[in-house]
């Protein structure tokens, strides 16, 4: 029997059926003592009743930082233990470009330099001066659209491994940014 699998089943069933919990669906994948657990619970679309498929894709956004930080700390420990660097702290202070060749490039920093003017529902309230220093931004939380004035400058210091673990590492999501934010 798989007592641990039955416990997971019950937990996920409670999670998606609890009215206080706003979780319509879950896909779980785990391994325990050589046994694989892979199940879907709840709905992909609660309104239409479409069940959650096993191969559903989710946008997890900033949760990747938790995974990346865990992996980086494990790598730091292993790298220090194998003599790759003198300590975990030394690994965390290493330049990313020394470890990942694609990071050997100039990074540019973006800073907002002016207060944003609110744009109209139909588009910008005023014409855009230059795509190089004004960007239209729509808040995904409020739906409000703003015009942001910004400047770009070369980074004054290199990107370090420990920066990748920060909540503000500056590496944006590809679909929203073609600039570095840190």
């Amino acid at each position: 029997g798989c007592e641990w699998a039955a416990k997971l089943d019950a937990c996920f069933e409670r999670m998606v059926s609890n009215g206080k919990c706003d979780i319509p669906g879950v896909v779980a994948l785990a391994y325990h003592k050589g046994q694989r657990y892979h199940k879907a619970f709840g709905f992909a679309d609660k309104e239409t009743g479409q069940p959650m498929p096993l191969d559903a894709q989710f946008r997890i956004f900033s949760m990747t930082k938790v995974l990346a930080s865990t992996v980086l700390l494990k790598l730091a420990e292993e790298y220090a233990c194998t003599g790759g660097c003198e300590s975990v702290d030394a690994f965390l202070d290493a330049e990313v470009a020394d470890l990942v060749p694609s990071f050997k490039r100039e990074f540019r920093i973006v800073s907002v330099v002016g207060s944003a003017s609110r744009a109209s529902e139909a588009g910008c309230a005023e014409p855009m001066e230059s795509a190089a220093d004004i960007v239209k931004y729509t808040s995904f939380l409020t739906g409000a659209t703003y015009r942001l004035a910004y400047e770009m400058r070369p980074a004054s210091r290199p990107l370090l491994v420990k920066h990748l673990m920060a909540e503000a590492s500056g590496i944006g999501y590809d679909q929203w940014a073609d600039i570095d934010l840190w």
Side-chain angles (χ1 to χ4, degrees):
C2 294
E3 185 178 320
W4 66 275
K7 287 181 180 179
L8 286 176
D9 287 349
C11 174
F12 291 125
E13 285 294 346
R14 278 192 312 273
M15 188 183 296
V16 298
S17 63
N18 181 345
K20 294 179 184 175
C21 216
D22 192 22
I23 300 174
V26 173
V27 175
L29 176 61
Y31 287 91
H32 180 69
K33 296 182 180 179
Q35 294 182 351
R36 181 175 185 250
Y37 177 90
H38 188 197
K39 292 187 178 182
F41 301 87
F43 302 98
D45 186 332
K46 202 169 186 175
E47 289 180 19
T48 65
Q50 178 184 353
M52 181 65 71
L54 280 174
D55 63 350
Q57 295 181 9
F58 299 88
R59 292 183 177 166
I60 59 173
F61 298 103
S62 290
M63 288 305 300
T64 56
K65 290 179 186 82
V66 175
L67 177 61
S69 294
T70 303
V71 169
L72 282 171
L73 287 172
K74 186 67 178 160
L75 284 173
E77 181 181 68
E78 288 178 17
Y79 201 64
C81 289
T82 60
C85 60
E86 57 196 57
S87 68
V88 170
D89 287 339
F91 178 82
L92 296 176
D93 286 330
E95 292 184 24
V96 174
D98 292 340
L99 303 166
V100 182
S102 62
F103 277 77
K104 288 184 184 192
R105 63 181 179 88
E106 180 185 85
F107 283 91
R108 301 189 59 73
I109 308 303
V110 176
S111 302
V112 175
V113 294
S115 73
S117 64
R118 189 142 185 193
S120 70
E121 291 295 319
C124 286
E126 303 164 28
M128 303 286 265
E129 282 86 15
S130 162
D133 61 7
I134 301 288
V135 66
K136 189 167 97 171
Y137 167 77
T138 302
S139 168
F140 71 92
L141 293 174
T142 66
T145 301
Y146 300 91
R147 290 168 18 101
L148 302 177
Y150 68 93
E151 66 179 11
M152 292 178 68
R153 58 182 166 39
S156 60
R157 61 181 195 254
L159 180 64
L160 305 179
V161 171
K162 66 184 175 187
H163 293 146
L164 297 175
M165 298 169 65
E167 286 296 316
S169 69
I171 299 173
Y173 295 104
D174 287 344
Q175 70 267 37
W176 292 316
D178 53 2
I179 53 178
D180 302 308
L181 306 171
W182 56 275

